[in-house]
Structures are given as structure tokens and as C-alpha cells.
Amino acid sequence: PVAVSACLLGDDCRWDGRTKRHDGVVNGLAGVEQLRFCPEVEAGLGTPREASFLSADREGFVSRSGQDLTETFDAGVARIEARLVEAGVREIVVKERSPSCGLRRTSVMDAPAPGPGRFTARMIALGLQVRSEEDFIE
């Protein structure tokens, strides 16, 4: 199975309550067993929710209003990680520019920044192959 950011598959789970469905991902993974995930939803942050970002030092996860969500977010990541390991997932597809799921670009204190988001950094550390929607033709 391949784990996929739920927003790319059409789930309305983004902070603003919308989706970022990506036809290239949907079509590119047709016929492949998919395991949907959204770190923020898994953490219980709700949809819609206040936008969140990596802290300036990239060590924390904070809401736009400054609430520290790191512990809550990391608990959601741990639940997803357990599901992925149990399912034998070796590859994930994530949403670029997300503070949790970005691969090449993320959001640090509400500004674009190079590097992975908090969830994706953890998945890379686990040795999973990670791609973003930018690796699929729409």
C-alpha cells in the first residue's frame, strides 16, 4: 500500500475545510491500495481549524495565534506511524508547502521555507520513500 495525504485524494480536511485534490495523484495511484492520512485531523485539531506552522526553530508546531500544538500534533503523527508500519507502507505521497506534509517546501511561521514539514521529516527518518503531488502529472 501507498499512504497518501487525504487532501490530495479529495478529502475536505485542510485547515480551511477544503481539499487540494490532485488528479495526477488520483490517476497515478489508481489501482494501488491507498492508506489516507492527515496528521492534523489524526491529532484531533478539527476541520476547519486555525492555520498552523512550524516554529521558527522548526522544533515546534504552532497555531497562527501562537498556541503550541507540538505535543498534540506529535501524538497524531505517532498514531499514523503505527498504522503505516502495521500496513507495511514503504512509500507516502504528501502535500507540498504544508507545515506537516511538505517535502521540498514547508511553512515556517507563516512564510515559505525550504525543507520538509514535521510529519514528512519523521517519515524520512523512518526510511520511507516520500513523493509530493509535484511528482505526478496532473
Side-chain angles (χ1 to χ4, degrees), residues 5-11 13-14 19-22 37 95:
S5 288
C7 63
L8 295 175
L9 296 175
D11 292 7
C13 59
R14 286 176 32 91
T19 183
K20 279 293 186 175
R21 179 187 162 92
H22 190 280
F37 68 87
K95 175 68 185 102

Side-chain angles (χ1 to χ4, degrees), residues 26-115:
V26 172
N27 296 332
L29 296 176
V32 175
E33 181 184 350
Q34 301 166 13
L35 201 157
R36 288 168 141 72
F37 68 87
C38 176
E40 291 93 342
V41 170
E42 189 71 38
L45 299 180
T47 303
R49 59 188 167 274
E50 184 178 13
S52 52
F53 313 99
L54 290 176
S55 60
D57 63 5
R58 291 179 169 255
E59 295 298 318
F61 201 78
V62 296
S63 70
R64 180 171 276 147
S65 64
Q67 180 183 6
D68 184 353
L69 302 171
T70 307
E71 190 173 310
T72 301
F73 180 80
D74 287 349
V77 170
R79 285 189 291 276
I80 294 170
E81 181 180 328
R83 281 185 22 228
L84 300 184
V85 168
E86 183 178 322
V89 169
R90 300 249 187 263
E91 178 182 357
I92 63 173
V93 179
V94 295
K95 175 68 185 102
E96 203 64 81
R97 292 175 296 284
S98 161
S100 56
C101 293
L103 175 59
R104 297 173 192 95
R105 289 176 307 287
T106 190
S107 183
V108 176
M109 296 309 294
D110 204 12

